[in-house]
Amino acid sequence: MKTSTLAFALALTLAACGQSNDSRAQDGVFADNRVLPADAQSMKASFAPVVRETAPAVVNIAAIGVQQVRDPFWGIPGQRQTGSVGSGVIVRPDGVVVTNNHVIEGMQQIRVTLNDRREFSARVVLADARSDIAVLQLEGVNERLPTLNIDDREEQQVGDLVLAIGNPFGVGQTVTNGIISALNRTETGISDSGSFIQTDAAINPGNSGGALVDMDGDLIGINTAIFSRSGSSSGVGFAVPATMVRRVVDSAVGGAKAVVRPWLGVKGESVSADIARSLGLDRPQGLVVTDVWPSGPAARAGLRQGDVITAIDGAEVNDQGGLNFRVGTREPNESVQIAVLRDGRPETLEARVQRLPGDADIDEATLIREGGLSGAQVLTLNPALADSLGGDPFASGVIVSRVDSRGYARRGVGLQAGDVILAVNGRAVTSTQQLVDLPRGTQLTVERRGQRGILLVR
């Protein structure tokens, strides 16, 4: 049973103020079976039993990489050694370790130190930048290692006690405690497809990749980021939920080289107070559908523009990031239940999520050899390509993958890698063939880092 000293203190405060707590609890037992400490002896309860069970599966990670640099004075190219320290969690007894992608990204040598001070080299099995989760395999393991169970049942509630275990500042393994401050945090700026557990347990640099565990000793998240002006803990930390952790681990163990995220084929806008009033909703909730991909999973399920998506498989959805996360934890071809409000009436639709259509291979770019855009390598955008580049799967146009510094596209027009060409002389661009042999005087409508402008072929 999970206990909460915070809830007990609150109960005492309410009693002291003469307020009744009977509507929420009877004899210290809440409706969901959470139990309050019954006496002073219960208040002396320790986290030590949970720590003893979980700490051996949490490891320290030290990674070394080589960065290409150029002398600022002479311009001579050279190399500089870089390093990274963080934490990880053993999730399989044969030495499969989960950590954050940013702990090992760009590193060539990874060394993992166990709680009992044994050391192992590790190799990257799968690294997923979108979720910031990486899976490592310890080398030379010839025995069963301690593990943490990945609890992806999503039974956590705001106020539940949690422990954060990791290696802050590289000083060695440390345990801090706190509560779950919030669930399903999406507007964090960490990821466009992330839905994070927020906790006030102290998390500092070096805790990245460490375990967030509940009072059952299960792994409910991987600590990944903090909000801080100083760089140290301010009591606002975020963890990748176990549902996404398991998705990445299963992909890695199954031999995949990348996490394949299915999509629903729908785009929407969060329901604001004004939108809620215009739709006759009691409160701002859900995601109002603004666009549906033709013949996509949502379209085949009967979803329409103007529908309000309120939940996916019973989990509340209030923005595009939350929708992306819920769908992204599923395997392609799995069915999901979509709760919607249509004309004020609740309905439930079933959709079978699919891989994003199109090809995400940027190596298939077309090189323009003649005309005003000579020297540019371009690709026609499709949902899979746009998503792999971190863009909107609904985006259209042609993206510039590379530009030869000596080509006219760079010298005469000013195109840059990452530019999206939306229109030529006001006409929408849907194919790379529209950019071949452009004459002088042609106007290009270009989107660059979210801003639109006009470039002229001179």
Side-chain angles (χ1 to χ4, degrees), residues 267-296:
K267 187 177 180 181
E269 179 183 348
S270 297
V271 175
S272 65
D274 289 339
I275 294 176
R277 281 193 293 270
S278 68
L279 295 175
L281 301 179
D282 294 335
R283 62 182 179 87
Q285 61 168 330
L287 183 78
V288 59
V289 175
T290 58
D291 205 350
V292 179
W293 189 264
S295 301

Side-chain angles (χ1 to χ4, degrees), residues 107-125:
M107 300 296 160
Q108 283 77 46
Q109 300 177 36
I110 303 172
R111 199 73 179 167
V112 174
T113 303
L114 273 57
N115 181 249
D116 61 9
R117 304 183 67 179
R118 285 182 293 167
E119 295 186 5
F120 294 88
S121 296
R123 59 180 176 84
V124 178
V125 180

Side-chain angles (χ1 to χ4, degrees), residues 347-369:
E347 293 190 23
T348 300
L349 305 176
E350 183 175 313
R352 189 176 296 276
V353 296
Q354 302 288 340
R355 291 171 178 259
L356 279 83
D359 188 355
D361 189 359
I362 63 174
D363 293 331
E364 298 299 320
T366 298
L367 174 62
I368 299 178
R369 301 181 183 277

Side-chain angles (χ1 to χ4, degrees), residues 36 71 83 146 165 277 343 397 400:
L36 298 177
D71 185 282
I165 310 176
R277 281 193 293 270
D343 299 327
V400 180

Side-chain angles (χ1 to χ4, degrees), residues 119-173:
E119 295 186 5
F120 294 88
S121 296
R123 59 180 176 84
V124 178
V125 180
L126 190 154
D128 183 55
R130 289 281 292 276
S131 64
D132 197 18
I133 293 294
V135 180
L136 313 178
Q137 175 64 61
L138 303 187
E139 298 179 331
V141 176
N142 51 22
E143 62 182 279
R144 293 179 63 85
L145 298 179
T147 64
L148 281 187
N149 174 57
I150 301 176
D151 182 359
D152 59 353
R153 295 172 297 176
E154 296 189 290
E155 295 178 338
Q156 298 80 34
Q157 297 185 23
V158 174
D160 280 353
L161 285 167
V162 289
L163 301 180
I165 310 176
N167 180 32
F169 302 110
V171 300
Q173 193 176 93

Side-chain angles (χ1 to χ4, degrees), residues 136-347:
L136 313 178
Q137 175 64 61
L138 303 187
E139 298 179 331
V141 176
N142 51 22
E143 62 182 279
R144 293 179 63 85
L145 298 179
T147 64
L148 281 187
N149 174 57
I150 301 176
D151 182 359
D152 59 353
R153 295 172 297 176
E154 296 189 290
E155 295 178 338
Q156 298 80 34
Q157 297 185 23
V158 174
D160 280 353
L161 285 167
V162 289
L163 301 180
I165 310 176
N167 180 32
F169 302 110
V171 300
Q173 193 176 93
T174 302
V175 180
T176 55
N177 84 285
I179 63 168
I180 293 177
S181 305
L183 295 166
N184 303 318
R185 286 292 197 213
T186 54
E187 297 179 356
T188 61
I190 302 172
S191 168
D192 65 345
S193 59
S195 181
F196 298 91
I197 300 172
Q198 182 181 329
T199 176
D200 68 347
I203 298 173
N204 289 291
N207 271 111
S208 291
L212 188 70
V213 302
D214 62 13
M215 293 299 100
D216 293 326
D218 292 330
L219 181 72
I220 63 170
I222 293 293
N223 298 315
T224 191
I226 59 174
F227 274 170
S228 173
R229 290 188 175 92
S230 65
S232 298
S233 176
S234 297
V236 183
F238 298 98
V240 179
T243 46
M244 182 56 73
V245 176
R246 184 177 293 281
R247 178 82 168 84
V248 179
V249 170
D250 288 348
S251 297
V253 173
K257 299 302 180 183
V259 178
V260 178
R261 285 179 173 80
W263 81 324
L264 190 58
V266 66
K267 187 177 180 181
E269 179 183 348
S270 297
V271 175
S272 65
D274 289 339
I275 294 176
R277 281 193 293 270
S278 68
L279 295 175
L281 301 179
D282 294 335
R283 62 182 179 87
Q285 61 168 330
L287 183 78
V288 59
V289 175
T290 58
D291 205 350
V292 179
W293 189 264
S295 301
R300 292 196 296 270
L303 209 62
R304 310 171 189 167
Q305 288 186 1
D307 286 346
V308 178
I309 300 174
T310 58
I312 299 290
D313 287 336
E316 186 175 298
V317 168
N318 285 306
D319 54 31
Q320 188 72 47
L323 177 69
N324 293 345
F325 175 80
R326 288 296 159 194
V327 174
T329 60
R330 302 295 187 265
E331 295 278 358
N333 297 318
E334 283 188 351
S335 294
V336 296
Q337 300 293 319
I338 311 169
V340 301
L341 292 175
R342 177 175 293 171
D343 299 327
R345 297 186 303 273
E347 293 190 23

